[in-house]
Amino acid sequence: MPVAQFPAVLSFEDARRAVEQQASQVRQLKTESVDLLVASGRVLAESILADRDLPPFPRATRDGYAVCAADLAHVPATLDVIGEIKAGESLENIPKLIQSGQAVSIMTGAPVPGGADAVVMVEYTAQQGERVEITRSIKPGENIVPSGAEAQQGSVLVERGVRLNDAAIALAATAGQSPVHVYKRPQVAVLTTGDEIVTIDATPGPTQIRNSNRYSLAVQIRNAGGEPVLLPIAPDEPRKLRTLIEEGLKSDLLLMTGGVSMGRYDLVEQVLEELKAEFFFTGAKIQPGRPVVFGKCGAGAPAQENTGTYFFGLPGNPVSTMVTFELFARAMVEALAGMSPRKLQFTYSKLKSEIRVKPGLKRFLPAILSGEFEASQVELVPWQGSGDIAATARANCYIVIPPDREFITSGEFVPIMLR
Ligand code: AMP
Ligand code: MG
């Protein structure tokens, strides 16, 4: 029996706001230390500070000659070469101060000596013995990064709540930080429902369907920084469904798929209602994924200070499951993973062929972005609706169509969400 008491079908924006609002109230408290080499994708539990200025000395960014720029007001000019500085040169070998009329041969990454205020690229020079002829003028500061210009000692290099990527890990390495202090991954339970669903090692009967959602969700949860906890398939039968939902509510977050539409055997909402769940919405005006459900239930997950475990009832159609995870559930996984909140990211691309749809829903339709540089364009993947995994596997983005648009002409710039 569908649940009539919760008719809260929200616009996409309101539904998203509801998720963001709840996500802002959860936090991950458990932390661990991991070696920097395996910290990719982990979320920092402690900001990383600069242990010294970056760069720690005025750094030459070119091979050439450190000079006083004023000496090159008129070129060609000839200067005395008083030494050579390579990267890593020890301090006692570096001239303390160079005077007007002098130059020092210098390599990329080497410290620029006092008195010099620019580095002339070697390409504009010709050295003969102890003299160098320079054919180009230069502005003060050129080809030198002053010490501390990138970061000052003690300043925050990578903030707590940042998910570590290659650049953040390089920064941590620069500051000599390994191991790093990160949040533990939240446990995200996956409960797939449906009498027709079988495990992938079973031989499906003629009307049975293999459980693909379990696999796509496991990937999406890991991508979002969570640890999937895969529960057995729940039948469309209230008692067994209830037992498994209760099991799932022991995790930090529960994701269910299937059983949230209006069919006679869509029992997920009914069971959650029996468990005294609080619902934030029971539908969103989107396609795919309209029946998506979001709420909170039970005594509370270990990582949360407030009571109740958050859950999503994601529609069972595989593309709906994938899309609603990205639009809604991901934000909650990220929050439970300790990540600082962020908005969904969209970009724009030129539409290759026109689109006609019925108005009323915000659509996220599988599409292919192709073409390089100025020729970049996007078009819908022909599909059989939200059960068509094959079409979605060919897609590399979703075209976003607002609810008031029925017709979009080719050549128009449309918002897309990368996948
Ligand atoms: P439901 O949301 O339960 O009405 O299911 C909608 C459609 O998605 C039906 O065609 C189901 O067979 C299919 N479906 C539901 N769960 C899964 C699953 N775990 N894996 C693959 N297909 C599913
Ligand atoms: Mg079902």
Side-chain angles (χ1 to χ4, degrees), residues 193-196 236 258-259 265-266:
T193 75
D195 285 339
E196 78 282 27
D236 294 321
Y265 299 98
D266 289 327

Side-chain angles (χ1 to χ4, degrees), residues 128 132 161 188 348 412:
Q128 291 226 311
V132 60
V188 182
Y348 278 84
E412 199 174 311

Side-chain angles (χ1 to χ4, degrees), residues 190-198 207-217 233 236 257-263 265-268 291 314-321 386-387 389:
V190 174
L191 178 57
T192 46
T193 75
D195 285 339
E196 78 282 27
I197 310 301
V198 295
T207 59
Q208 291 180 319
I209 301 292
R210 291 197 183 95
N211 188 358
S212 62
N213 288 346
R214 173 185 215 254
Y215 290 82
S216 53
L217 278 176
I233 298 166
D236 294 321
T257 78
V260 290
S261 309
M262 299 297 279
Y265 299 98
D266 289 327
L267 303 171
V268 167
L314 307 178
N317 262 316
V319 185
S320 306
T321 305
S386 51
I389 313 175

